[in-house]
Amino acid sequence: MATFEADLAHKFAPTYHAARTERNYLAQLEPQKEPRLELAHPPWKPYVYFSVYPLEGTHGGEQAYEINYLTIWDWDSGSVAGLAGHQWDTERAAFFVVGPDDTHDPEAYRVRQAYYAAHEGVKLWGLLSFDNSRYVEYPRGRESGPDVWWSIGKHASFRNRKELEASNAGDSYRAPGEIAGPEDCTLIDVGTLKRPSAAAPWITHKKDWGPQRISSVYSKLKDRLWDVAGKALRPILRVTEDEIKLAQ
């Protein structure tokens, strides 16, 4: 059944960029509590789960939503020579979407910020951070979902290829690439942790996944990325669209 939240998620679905030589596949999971692979999908036809959270209250006459787009991979190839490769890879990009609090018309909403998850919380020996996650602000708002660039074999999300290749975590991209717009994606609603959808009871699975103990989807959805005013709730780098253009 279509809902306003699902309509928002479809309206702002990202355009994904993957290297044509990407060898890993996006996972479609069985609808059960324990994560288990049902089917695999190529990155040029992405299988994407989404979760929409209405943020509590209003701000400046606007209602805000946090939309997480979750991509679950069957494998992470690791760094050079396959070091640190592992089964499962749970990744995401998220958008802060706002619109008038007196309407449920998706066309009245805009993306004001994006969050690109790249090695969230990853540290070497507990000291050296490899977290390349970023917040990006769009002060004028966007009428469609921003682009997401995936690093080959590692699947971290970046705003553009230049940022991807500047990562300190071994991320890379190989041209030519594949571009998958919203029309190429299969979008599946997982609901929320309090109300998981019938398609995704595994979002409430709190334990890390697989033999290498990969972070669960639950660990990513349990805390919000923004408050209703758009304040970023993760202490990481925050840049604006104009700053990105200047750097380019």
Side-chain angles (χ1 to χ4, degrees):
M1 180 182 297
T3 65
F4 170 64
E5 287 82 0
D7 289 342
L8 277 182
H10 281 78
K11 172 178 168 57
F12 295 113
T15 294
Y16 291 103
H17 298 255
R20 189 168 294 178
T21 50
E22 175 63 70
R23 294 179 296 173
N24 305 136
Y25 289 83
L26 291 152
Q28 176 181 342
L29 301 182
E30 292 185 352
Q32 59 184 27
K33 183 70 178 288
E34 188 77 23
R36 183 176 176 182
L37 180 65
E38 182 172 23
L39 291 172
H41 299 263
W44 56 90
K45 293 183 179 179
Y47 198 86
V48 181
Y49 293 101
F50 67 84
S51 180
V52 183
Y53 278 86
L55 300 178
E56 187 174 350
T58 60
H59 179 76
E62 292 183 322
Q63 174 65 60
Y65 291 83
E66 177 184 313
I67 309 176
N68 280 266
Y69 293 93
L70 304 158
T71 49
I72 302 169
W73 299 76
D74 64 336
W75 193 261
D76 180 321
S77 297
S79 57
V80 178
L83 297 175
H86 53 79
Q87 183 187 22
W88 300 117
D89 194 21
T90 58
E91 300 288 349
R92 64 169 167 167
F95 304 146
F96 177 77
V97 175
V98 299
D101 65 1
D102 58 353
T103 181
H104 273 183
D105 178 6
E107 295 305 314
Y109 281 71
R110 298 291 183 269
V111 177
R112 288 282 175 80
Q113 296 186 50
Y115 171 78
Y116 293 90
H119 317 294
E120 293 174 287
V122 174
K123 292 184 179 181
L124 183 62
W125 302 305
L127 297 172
L128 181 61
S129 175
F130 284 104
D131 194 333
N132 283 263
S133 304
R134 296 286 185 271
Y135 284 103
V136 177
E137 299 181 34
Y138 302 100
R140 293 172 290 278
R142 287 182 55 104
E143 296 183 2
S144 60
D147 288 33
V148 175
W149 290 70
W150 284 321
S151 58
I152 187 169
K154 298 178 72 62
H155 320 126
S157 297
F158 292 88
R159 169 66 177 83
N160 53 45
R161 181 175 174 179
K162 184 174 182 178
E163 287 187 358
L164 188 163
E165 294 178 334
S167 162
N168 67 342
D171 296 290
S172 63
Y173 184 87
R174 296 174 195 160
E178 300 279 1
I179 301 175
E183 69 280 1
D184 302 308
C185 299
T186 299
L187 297 168
I188 304 296
D189 189 355
V190 302
T192 63
L193 294 181
K194 289 185 177 180
R195 293 185 178 180
S197 73
W202 42 262
I203 69 170
T204 62
H205 185 78
K206 296 182 180 181
K207 294 181 180 179
D208 292 342
W209 290 14
Q212 287 93 357
R213 309 282 292 172
I214 302 309
S215 60
S216 65
V217 167
Y218 175 89
S219 70
K220 299 180 185 302
L221 294 182
K222 67 183 180 67
D223 298 313
R224 300 278 55 80
L225 292 165
W226 294 275
D227 67 13
V228 70
K231 178 184 177 182
L233 301 179
R234 282 205 71 208
I236 58 174
L237 185 64
R238 183 173 178 146
V239 297
T240 67
E241 183 179 17
D242 290 336
E243 288 172 332
I244 289 174
K245 290 178 179 178
L246 182 62
Q248 291 173 331

